[in-house]
């Protein structure tokens, strides 16, 4: 049995309500998931009001559990919020960035990759492939370029 980080406690409650495979137990007001499908990567938004996480899809939820929405129907790998919290980068095939409110069409940044860091004041993404570390502008105005052939996988 393990306690979830506080930003995921409410999210876990919502998932448990939607997925009968979860067994939940409340201990002193904190939720502990004692059995159930694992929640993959999760990351709180910069202001702490939302959390992006993957399970069988990529979800965005209010940290108080008041809402949970499917952001992408397939598992997004290593979601990252932009520093201003307005966009979400996630790795799939392809690597994409999308408006955090779900509006608009996701922008493909590269054919594939795992997001690692957003740098240069939120304008550039560093990501890895199986054979390189690359960078790309988050507005998609230029193609990705290789920084090194070393990999972080």
């Amino acid at each position: 049995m393990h306690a979830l980080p506080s930003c995921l406690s409410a999210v876990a409650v919502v998932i448990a309500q939607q997925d009968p495979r979860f067994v939940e137990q409340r201990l002193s007001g904190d939720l502990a998931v004692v059995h159930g499908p694992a929640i993959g990567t999760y990351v709180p938004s910069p202001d702490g009001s939302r959390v992006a996480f993957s399970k069988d899809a990529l979800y965005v939820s209010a940290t108080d559990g008041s809402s949970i929405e499917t952001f992408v129907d397939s598992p997004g790998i290593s979601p990252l919020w932009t520093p201003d919290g307005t966009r979400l980068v996630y790795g799939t095939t392809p690597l994409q960035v999308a408006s955090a409110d779900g509006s608009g069409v996701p922008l493909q940044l590269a054919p594939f990759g795992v997001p690692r860091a957003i740098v240069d004041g939120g304008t550039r993404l560093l990501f890895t492939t199986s054979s390189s570390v690359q960078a790309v502008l988050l507005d998609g105005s230029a193609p990705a370029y290789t920084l090194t052939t070393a990999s972080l996988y």
Side-chain angles (χ1 to χ4, degrees), residues 9-70:
S9 292
V11 173
V13 169
V14 174
I15 292 171
Q17 291 169 349
Q18 294 179 351
D19 190 337
R21 296 176 293 168
F22 271 93
V23 176
E24 60 179 284
Q25 179 180 356
R26 291 197 177 272
L27 301 173
S28 303
D30 293 326
L31 177 79
V33 175
V34 294
H35 175 71
I39 295 173
T41 306
Y42 65 91
V43 61
S45 63
D47 68 2
S49 67
R50 296 174 291 168
V51 62
F53 64 97
S54 61
K55 191 171 102 52
D56 55 347
L58 182 59
Y59 298 94
V60 173
S61 176
T63 52
D64 67 3
S66 62
S67 68
I68 183 170
E69 296 181 11
T70 303

Side-chain angles (χ1 to χ4, degrees), residues 46-127:
D47 68 2
S49 67
R50 296 174 291 168
V51 62
F53 64 97
S54 61
K55 191 171 102 52
D56 55 347
L58 182 59
Y59 298 94
V60 173
S61 176
T63 52
D64 67 3
S66 62
S67 68
I68 183 170
E69 296 181 11
T70 303
F71 192 75
V72 177
D73 284 331
S74 60
I77 301 169
S78 302
L80 289 176
W81 294 91
T82 55
D84 63 5
T86 62
R87 295 179 291 168
L88 195 58
V89 178
Y90 53 95
T92 60
T93 302
L95 176 66
Q96 299 183 61
V97 61
S99 177
D101 66 8
S103 65
V105 176
L107 174 66
Q108 179 176 327
L109 298 173
F112 55 89
V114 177
R116 298 297 180 174
I118 296 175
V119 297
D120 295 339
T123 63
R124 191 175 316 265
L125 172 70
L126 300 180
F127 67 97

